[in-house]
Amino acid sequence: YSSITPAHTRDSHPDLIPVVRDLLKTWAARTGGLYIIENVPGAARVMENPVKVCGSAFGLGVRRHRYFESNTFLTPTECFHEQQGRPIGVYGDHPQEDEDYRRPDGTRRGTKAKTVEHGREVMGIDWMTDWDDIADAVPPAYTHFLGTQLLDRLETAA
């Protein structure tokens, strides 16, 4: 579902969202547990009642819109793109030292992190050292935001 995935390779990736959802629903029915599924904006059309979270809501240098589906109510964030200024991208298989990063279709994606350290900074991550890990990561601010909501739901249920 990622816009950076070339169109000609998209069919080679399995759609795991329905499979994961079914497994989690079965588990939650047995245990009473809560779950969250995360994915990129392109996946929102196959997710059930997803909420959007944006890095600009936390003062991060990335926008990194991500969608989250859960078996409990989640509050989304607002986007504060104007206050954020030009976001920095953290994606792909390497940092980008030049300013001319393009999508597979040739359109510009914007400014990309120039180094691993730059990627760590704009994502709010201080412990990762590998670009691939940072590029795949959910910013910790998102986890804190959503995890706090899950803890509140669990405390209310208790």
Side-chain angles (χ1 to χ4, degrees):
Y1 296 109
S2 176
S3 65
I4 200 166
T5 303
H8 69 279
T9 66
R10 291 193 179 156
D11 289 341
S12 66
H13 297 279
D15 182 1
L16 298 176
I17 293 173
V19 175
V20 169
R21 177 189 301 120
D22 288 347
L23 290 169
L24 289 171
K25 282 184 174 182
T26 300
W27 168 82
R30 280 195 332 262
T31 65
L34 301 177
Y35 68 82
I36 295 179
I37 299 171
E38 173 269 343
N39 219 305
V40 296
R45 61 184 157 72
V46 299
M47 298 176 83
E48 295 179 356
N49 303 309
V51 297
K52 180 171 73 173
V53 176
C54 177
S56 67
F58 306 106
L60 297 176
V62 293
R63 288 193 181 150
R64 203 170 190 87
H65 291 158
R66 291 296 181 266
Y67 285 80
F68 298 87
E69 170 186 324
S70 182
N71 63 335
T72 191
F73 175 78
L74 294 175
T75 302
T77 64
E78 291 185 50
C79 293
F80 297 98
H81 296 173
E82 291 80 24
Q83 294 91 325
Q84 181 188 40
R86 188 178 182 107
I88 304 298
V90 181
Y91 47 79
D93 59 5
H94 61 280
Q96 189 76 24
E97 292 186 14
D98 63 41
E99 296 293 325
D100 197 33
Y101 192 76
R102 305 263 176 193
R103 290 183 177 99
D105 68 3
T107 58
R108 280 194 43 78
R109 263 189 89 93
T111 303
K112 189 173 173 186
K114 297 178 182 349
T115 63
V116 169
E117 292 75 23
H118 189 205
R120 288 169 37 154
E121 176 188 334
V122 299
M123 291 277 286
I125 296 174
D126 60 5
W127 63 91
M128 291 182 176
T129 57
D130 184 73
W131 177 263
D132 289 336
D133 292 339
I134 296 167
D136 289 340
V138 172
Y142 295 21
T143 305
H144 183 264
F145 175 73
L146 296 167
T148 299
Q149 293 182 55
L150 291 181
L151 289 173
D152 288 347
R153 303 299 181 281
L154 290 171
E155 288 175 12
T156 300

